[in-house]
Amino acid sequence: MAERPRLLFVANGILGWKTYSRRLETVLSARDDIELSVLWRRPNSLSTLPVKRHDGRGWTEVIRRFDPITAYRGYLGADIRAAVRRHRPDLVHFAAHWPSAALGATNDGPAVTAALDCTRENINALKERRLWSEVECRRENALFHAARHLFPMSHWAARSLEGDSGVASERITIIPPAVDLSLFHPPLAHDGPVNIVFVGNDFQRKGGPELVSWVQGPLAGTCHLHIVSHDPAARVSGPHVTAHGPLPQEHLFGKILPRMDIFCLPTALDMSPQVLAEAAAAGLPAVASDIGGIPDQIVDGETGLLVRPGEPGGYVSALRMLIDDPERRAGMKRAARARAEAHFDAAKLFSTVADRLAELARHDGGRAETT
């Protein structure tokens, strides 16, 4: 092993993993006790067209039939294997665990660690039917057992690693979604109705249309909904709604969120949404679905309100409760910001990840388990 251990970070430019990857790269680059190489990946849409996803539905289930783990063992993982041959790392860290399949499960390669937001068994438990077969779950379990260490984003995912996949607890470190607290501005007073904000793409899956119907229906006249989204389906017009379209992060954090009163995410399928950590950092009480890793992000009744998905009356009641009670909103705002400072601070969390990776790179250049 070299005097300084070599770490290859396989960064992910897709969805919320882009934020994770950028922040971790910044922290790792500042260290002088490792030799860092970074492989940024964002496979083009054509190469991933046949690859199965967690949220498969309708026509996508027909064409997306190929297990991504199998794809990474083959054509999707070629660039990862080339980077390993080029840099000869002692440790490879993956932002999202499926790409680690590119390195197989043998003892002759570098040690592997991975961050993840869920397991396939997690998704099966959320769905009305099993999206992932037993064979596909066994393939994923092989990745987990081949990894030297795993960094799930929630207790929900960690429980599945232990209970469904049999991963030892000492090989698990929970790292929730993280935010740069310095980017968020204090709340600003405003005139007019209570402002509710929705931030997210995949407008339908995350409950955007339903939220619009509540604001224009039973909650009409008591609040105003602001929508921030890249999704064309989110370009909603009509009373009590403003669709801002996609916004630069600095505008969202500095101009929009400080004037909001409530964050709402009535999502039907999610893991550990980055936007909920951002809402807490902005000091916004959140009304969100009681699914996945979300209960790690919202303390029900303290920093926001959790609602069972598929129960419109529950969301309406929760929103109305906060709309009608400014004192409770104010208390939840303070509690949300305090929780962000205690649990979602990127400076603390990514330092923890970097310390662990450096330690593993120094002391373990081989695989912990084989399957």
Side-chain angles (χ1 to χ4, degrees):
M1 184 181 292
E3 183 178 346
R4 288 192 305 163
R6 295 184 294 269
L7 171 63
L8 173 63
F9 176 30
V10 181
N12 191 334
I14 297 176
L15 302 175
W17 288 113
K18 184 189 301 184
T19 300
Y20 172 95
S21 297
R22 284 175 175 168
R23 288 177 177 150
L24 183 55
E25 180 184 16
T26 298
V27 173
L28 290 173
S29 297
R31 298 185 71 106
D32 59 8
D33 59 340
I34 58 172
E35 183 179 326
L36 177 68
S37 303
V38 181
L39 173 65
W40 269 97
R41 305 187 72 254
R42 186 184 177 90
N44 64 61
S45 57
L46 185 61
S47 68
T48 59
L49 187 62
V51 174
K52 191 171 178 179
R53 297 180 180 177
H54 289 316
D55 60 347
R57 58 178 182 270
W59 67 270
T60 63
E61 285 191 277
V62 177
I63 66 170
R64 295 186 182 277
R65 308 285 300 216
F66 196 29
D67 188 335
I69 291 176
T70 304
Y72 278 110
R73 288 174 178 168
Y75 74 100
L76 273 185
D79 61 327
I80 298 171
R81 291 187 289 273
V84 168
R85 289 193 297 270
R86 184 166 62 253
H87 298 292
R88 300 180 61 82
D90 301 300
L91 179 77
V92 185
H93 179 63
F94 288 86
H97 63 289
W98 287 345
S100 70
L103 302 186
T106 63
N107 281 323
D108 56 0
V112 168
T113 63
L116 64 146
D117 55 6
C118 69
T119 71
R120 291 177 172 181
E121 290 291 1
N122 279 150
I123 297 301
N124 282 343
L126 289 179
K127 292 282 195 175
E128 294 179 355
R129 59 183 177 80
R130 288 181 67 90
L131 177 66
W132 298 99
S133 70
E134 291 185 9
V135 170
E136 290 167 330
C137 288
R138 285 199 296 271
R139 286 195 195 112
E140 185 179 64
N141 287 343
L143 295 186
F144 295 146
H145 285 278
R148 179 67 179 86
H149 205 81
L150 295 164
F151 298 88
M153 288 188 172
S154 66
H155 288 85
W156 171 67
R159 285 193 297 270
S160 182
L161 286 174
E162 293 187 59
D164 297 320
S165 304
V167 178
S169 59
E170 59 267 22
R171 294 175 49 227
I172 297 171
T173 301
I174 298 172
I175 300 292
V179 292
D180 182 346
L181 297 173
S182 69
L183 299 177
F184 294 85
H185 295 218
L188 297 173
H190 65 86
D191 296 325
V194 169
N195 283 326
I196 299 174
V197 62
F198 171 99
V199 180
N201 301 315
D202 202 341
F203 193 61
Q204 180 178 350
R205 173 172 64 84
K206 291 181 178 289
E210 290 81 2
L211 179 54
V212 170
S213 72
W214 304 329
V215 169
Q216 293 181 336
L219 299 174
T222 66
C223 59
H224 192 93
L225 174 62
H226 296 259
I227 301 170
V228 180
S229 177
H230 287 270
D231 193 336
R235 297 169 188 164
V236 179
S237 60
H240 315 301
V241 175
T242 299
H244 296 272
L247 294 176
Q249 188 180 78
E250 59 271 19
H251 186 80
L252 174 63
F253 293 170
K255 302 293 186 182
I256 300 295
L257 294 186
R259 290 179 168 82
M260 297 297 108
D261 300 293
I262 302 168
F263 190 97
C264 189
L265 189 71
T267 180
L269 177 65
D270 251 306
M271 295 79 180
S272 297
Q274 177 73 27
V275 292
L276 289 178
E278 293 167 353
L284 292 178
V287 175
S289 302
D290 188 5
I291 58 172
I294 291 177
D296 270 17
Q297 298 176 276
I298 298 173
V299 181
D300 191 30
E302 180 179 330
T303 68
L305 298 170
L306 295 172
V307 182
R308 289 173 58 88
E311 295 186 359
Y315 292 104
V316 172
S317 296
L319 289 168
R320 181 176 285 121
M321 182 186 304
L322 294 181
I323 290 168
D324 292 343
D325 193 340
E327 290 188 7
R328 187 170 191 185
R329 280 203 317 271
M332 284 189 172
K333 284 186 175 188
R334 292 189 294 271
R337 174 65 189 194
R339 182 162 178 80
E341 292 172 354
H343 295 278
F344 306 140
D345 183 355
K348 297 176 183 176
L349 291 171
F350 283 110
S351 291
T352 297
V353 176
D355 287 345
R356 193 75 177 103
L357 294 179
E359 177 188 5
L360 291 167
R362 282 195 302 270
H363 295 105
D364 194 339
R367 298 295 183 92
E369 296 183 42
T370 59
T371 55

